[in-house]
Amino acid sequence: MTIADTQPHMQSTQEIGTAWSRMVAKRRFYTILGLVILIAAFISSVRFADESNAGHFFDRLPHLFDFLSWLIPKDWDDVWRALFDIASVNDKGGEEFNFDKGRVYVWGAFYIPEYFELMIVTINVALISTIIAFVIAVPLSFFAARNLTNSWPLRIFTKRLMEFLRAFPEIVIAGLFSAILSIGPVAAIIAITLHTIGALGKLFYEVAENIDMKPHEGMKAVGANWWERVRFAALPQVLPNFTSYALLRLEVNVRASTIIGAVGGGGIGEELKLSISRGFGAKTMALVLLLFVTIVAVDQFSAWLRRRLVGEHAFLLQH
């Protein structure tokens, strides 16, 4: 926006110059005011952190990354041994190097490394949660879509329900259900499922509200009921995008199930927490490596599948 746009009545060069100087001075004032507020908020936050940490925040700050020194294994070959449950030459009978004791024998001498089994549990928690949430979120999204449901009380109730479900982080819900159902993957599945229903439901009904209504109107004209219109006119249009969002959510849920595992939800998260707290460098590095490779694999697979479902054009940059 220029001076001529804001004050078109000005004609002389002096008036325009004066107005420009005032505008620059005003912008500088707001910039300085914003910086002052930002610095004050930062100082207040640091003081609050120091008081919350019994006054030891600044004392411990230089030691923030000390744990990295004891997480680095002395023998890097132990990382691979820990990952595949191969006996370590450094095993002296303690827990730090007892890699081969975690093997899960399936048939004779054939075994699954312990961490691979834990990773499978984590992925299973994410997969089951996403599937259940997808099945529930699809009909809820049609109830919430303005162009498909005429009843506004039903739309409002459905939207508020989905907002309620996604209002609480998965870890909070998992803590609640752990107290009821005891610690384990079941509490993690319920927590992730409830949060995913709310998250996917919102994305789904926004997609449903942007469909082409001509097929819907055509079916309505020949006497189709609400379920038939949704099934044959709306669902075929939105199903590729619904599946794409569900796959994207699956990636998020793999990370969420790992975090919940660290607080008792089972899977690889629990083992990672124990390994870090005990200072087992090789085991920790093996778990981090396996987790990283799994996340990348899930990300690449879901991206490939989403491209197949919604087409390459959906991933091109829009100019």
Side-chain angles (χ1 to χ4, degrees):
M1 183 176 293
T2 64
I3 296 297
D5 295 330
T6 56
Q7 301 185 38
H9 61 281
M10 291 184 180
Q11 298 295 327
S12 69
T13 304
Q14 184 178 2
E15 288 178 329
I16 294 176
T18 303
W20 171 259
S21 298
R22 288 176 181 171
M23 180 181 292
V24 170
K26 184 183 291 185
R27 288 185 176 180
R28 286 176 178 170
F29 170 76
Y30 284 126
T31 301
I32 294 172
L33 180 63
L35 287 174
V36 169
I37 294 173
L38 185 63
I39 292 171
F42 175 75
I43 293 173
S44 301
S45 300
V46 171
R47 290 187 61 183
F48 175 77
D50 188 50
E51 293 172 0
S52 301
N53 202 33
H56 297 300
F57 177 75
F58 292 106
D59 295 337
R60 302 303 304 169
L61 193 59
H63 306 283
L64 184 62
F65 297 104
D66 282 358
F67 74 97
L68 291 177
S69 61
W70 52 259
L71 278 182
I72 297 175
K74 297 176 182 177
D75 183 357
W76 281 94
D77 288 337
D78 275 339
V79 176
W80 303 106
R81 296 181 188 122
L83 188 60
F84 296 103
D85 286 355
I86 299 172
S88 172
V89 295
N90 299 307
D91 188 7
K92 306 299 181 185
E95 294 185 14
E96 186 174 2
F97 299 103
N98 62 346
F99 306 144
D100 55 326
K101 294 180 181 176
R103 294 175 179 175
V104 180
Y105 287 94
V106 180
W107 181 266
F110 178 74
Y111 69 89
I112 298 176
E114 178 186 17
Y115 294 163
F116 283 70
E117 187 200 29
L118 294 173
M119 195 70 242
I120 292 172
V121 172
T122 300
I123 294 175
N124 272 342
V125 170
L127 188 60
I128 293 171
S129 305
T130 307
I131 292 173
I132 296 174
F134 179 84
V135 172
I136 298 174
V138 168
L140 287 180
S141 67
F142 291 130
F143 293 145
R146 181 174 299 176
N147 55 338
L148 296 176
T149 301
N150 294 325
S151 172
W152 68 265
L154 179 59
R155 292 201 313 269
I156 297 298
F157 172 78
T158 307
K159 289 182 178 180
R160 298 295 88 79
L161 174 63
M162 290 189 287
E163 289 170 358
F164 177 77
L165 291 175
R166 65 173 182 272
F168 302 97
E170 296 98 329
I171 196 167
V172 175
I173 306 174
L176 174 64
F177 281 96
S178 293
I180 301 172
L181 302 172
S182 80
I183 294 173
V186 175
I189 291 173
I190 294 174
I192 297 174
T193 299
L194 292 177
H195 189 84
T196 304
I197 291 171
L200 283 183
K202 174 180 172 55
L203 296 172
F204 286 179
Y205 83 72
E206 289 178 349
V207 173
E209 287 182 344
N210 289 288
I211 64 171
D212 182 1
M213 292 300 291
K214 291 179 181 175
H216 182 273
E217 293 168 359
M219 294 200 66
K220 188 176 182 180
V222 296
N225 60 34
W226 188 87
W227 287 107
E228 291 170 338
R229 296 197 299 270
V230 168
R231 166 65 183 87
F232 296 105
L235 189 61
Q237 297 187 60
V238 299
L239 197 55
N241 282 326
F242 278 15
T243 309
S244 176
Y245 280 129
L247 290 169
L248 186 64
R249 188 69 200 184
L250 175 63
E251 301 171 27
V252 177
N253 286 346
V254 171
R255 302 182 186 94
S257 61
T258 303
I259 295 171
I260 293 176
V263 295
I268 202 167
E270 186 174 4
E271 191 67 24
L272 181 61
K273 179 190 174 186
L274 291 173
S275 183
I276 292 175
S277 63
R278 295 174 180 175
F280 296 164
K283 288 186 175 180
T284 302
M285 294 299 293
L287 287 166
V288 170
L289 180 63
L290 179 60
L291 188 59
F292 174 73
V293 172
T294 304
I295 293 294
V296 171
V298 171
D299 178 73
Q300 292 300 312
F301 174 73
S302 62
W304 172 80
L305 200 54
R306 279 186 285 131
R307 287 173 189 272
R308 300 282 294 179
L309 288 169
V310 301
E312 192 72 26
H313 64 279
F315 294 85
L316 298 176
L317 294 175
Q318 301 295 326
H319 298 287

